[in-house]
Amino acid sequence: MKRFLEGSFLLGCLLMLTGFNVDNAIVPKGEILSGGPPKDGIPAILKPQFVSPKEAEFLKPGDEVIGVRMAGQARAYPIKILNWHEVVNDTVKKVPIVVTF
Amino acid sequence: MVYSREVEGKLYTFGVSGRLYKSNVLLYDHQTESLWSQMMEKAIAGPLVGKRLKKLSSVRTSWKNWREKNPHTLVLSRDTGFKRNYSVDPYEGYYRSLGIWFPVGDVRRDLSPKEMVLGIEVKGKAKAYPVSQIGKQPGILKDEVGGEPVEIEVAPDGEIVGVRDERGEPIPAIFSYWFAWQAFQQKTDVYRGKR
């Protein structure tokens, strides 16, 4: 039992170190590096909320945004917010999109 | 950059893997934990390896400019479910794009490594346009990539506001450091200006 627990512990550590299975990678595995924050250390946005331009008083005229238009609807994703999340999972007019920075 | 979350008829959501490839942050999808490269626009490891991301048209511009052109736009709220101080830049002014964190390998010396370029790929041919250079010439820049006509619209203030083909359809283009662009597009041409 002790040996089993030790084995599980080692396997767990190994999984934590690697995290992702890259056995079938189509780029050299040695070039897939760990760097910066760990998995989800930068939290992606999964349930984005939106406000009107009037309510977006936190934006200055010169602040940058990533702008998207889908079927007549426009959405702006401020770089100020993307800086902290890098990824926004959204759906615009039934089109599922991911905005990345 | 903006991509469809639908890949071969299935929906995915994406997160930040914490892994890098050529200084590019790799995304992962929560459903299969495959790793995705934004620059290569496909999964590079995991169950979805080789599947492609479909890039959608987007622009990067000032809030003022976007709002003027899209008065009814919605804006991503600071109410994200996370407590972050969005008035502070976590990278303290370090200009970054495409999740580039540190430089890669040998860099072609056509341009300086951190020169910003507008990168366009048409029919497998890539071309880099130095932003500082084309920003000096407001108007429509007509050029060719991969034998196809390309039109780049530069606003009076030097901002690049559109990249289109001859029918006026948007062509996906990205802003990138030269070092990152040339790492992925090793045979890229570089725009040298009109003679």
Side-chain angles (χ1 to χ4, degrees):
Chain A
M1 187 62 187
K2 191 176 173 224
R3 183 162 291 180
F4 172 75
L5 281 177
E6 279 173 358
S8 306
F9 179 71
L10 279 175
L11 188 66
C13 288
L14 205 63
L15 282 173
M16 276 200 297
L17 281 175
T18 53
F20 294 95
N21 186 340
V22 296
D23 286 348
N24 66 349
I26 53 175
V27 300
K29 282 176 215 165
E31 292 186 22
I32 300 178
L33 305 172
S34 296
K39 180 181 176 187
D40 295 326
I42 299 173
I45 296 177
L46 284 160
K47 292 178 181 166
Q49 308 287 317
F50 291 88
V51 297
S52 70
K54 272 187 183 166
E55 293 167 301
E57 79 295 330
F58 66 98
L59 282 180
K60 299 189 187 88
D63 283 349
E64 285 193 292
V65 301
I66 291 179
V68 176
R69 270 186 290 257
M70 296 276 169
Q73 184 166 120
R75 291 194 182 182
Y77 304 85
I79 298 296
K80 268 184 176 177
I81 297 179
L82 292 175
N83 259 332
W84 289 92
H85 298 284
E86 304 222 3
V87 176
V88 182
N89 293 274
D90 197 5
T91 303
V92 185
K93 290 273 177 179
K94 295 186 180 169
V95 182
I97 66 169
V98 56
V99 180
T100 67
F101 174 56
Chain B
M1 304 261 262
V2 178
Y3 306 97
S4 172
R5 291 195 287 110
E6 186 175 327
V7 181
E8 296 189 354
K10 288 194 176 155
L11 287 184
Y12 298 94
T13 53
F14 293 85
V16 182
S17 73
R19 295 303 197 87
L20 305 168
Y21 174 61
K22 298 210 179 204
S23 294
N24 238 211
V25 172
L26 296 173
L27 304 180
Y28 78 99
D29 66 82
H30 296 121
Q31 287 71 27
T32 74
E33 301 229 321
S34 300
L35 291 171
W36 297 81
S37 163
Q38 297 180 63
M39 272 268 189
M40 292 168 74
E41 296 177 355
K42 61 183 170 188
I44 62 163
L48 298 178
V49 71
K51 304 278 188 215
R52 300 200 71 89
L53 283 173
K54 186 182 166 205
K55 196 190 286 176
L56 303 174
S57 191
S58 65
V59 297
R60 183 167 163 167
T61 185
S62 68
W63 167 234
K64 178 174 181 283
N65 192 15
W66 180 258
R67 187 180 183 173
E68 278 170 9
K69 287 181 182 159
N70 304 277
H72 301 293
T73 188
L74 293 176
V75 187
L76 180 65
S77 164
R78 285 178 298 176
D79 183 10
T80 59
F82 298 94
K83 284 191 176 167
R84 294 288 187 278
N85 183 353
Y86 295 115
S87 62
V88 172
D89 178 355
Y91 300 95
E92 292 179 331
Y94 174 68
Y95 193 91
R96 61 189 272 291
S97 177
L98 292 167
I100 289 157
W101 291 30
F102 35 73
V104 278
D106 284 340
V107 178
R108 264 174 59 183
R109 294 185 176 187
D110 306 51
L111 299 169
S112 81
K114 289 204 170 177
E115 171 114 35
M116 286 300 292
V117 298
L118 176 75
I120 300 174
E121 186 186 350
V122 178
K123 294 193 171 171
K125 293 280 186 188
K127 198 162 191 175
Y129 295 80
V131 170
S132 59
Q133 185 180 351
I134 60 175
K136 284 179 195 157
Q137 296 158 319
I140 306 284
L141 169 63
K142 293 190 177 186
D143 197 34
E144 266 187 21
V145 182
E148 301 287 324
V150 167
E151 296 185 359
I152 301 170
E153 185 183 354
V154 181
D157 61 1
E159 190 160 23
I160 295 156
V161 290
V163 181
R164 294 182 289 270
D165 64 17
E166 59 185 342
R167 290 167 300 145
E169 294 293 319
I171 296 173
I174 63 170
F175 289 101
S176 168
Y177 284 125
W178 165 246
F179 76 76
W181 178 255
Q182 59 87 44
F184 282 88
Q185 300 284 0
Q186 294 179 353
K187 293 184 176 170
T188 185
D189 287 331
V190 177
Y191 178 72
R192 294 296 185 187
K194 296 276 181 229
R195 286 165 197 276

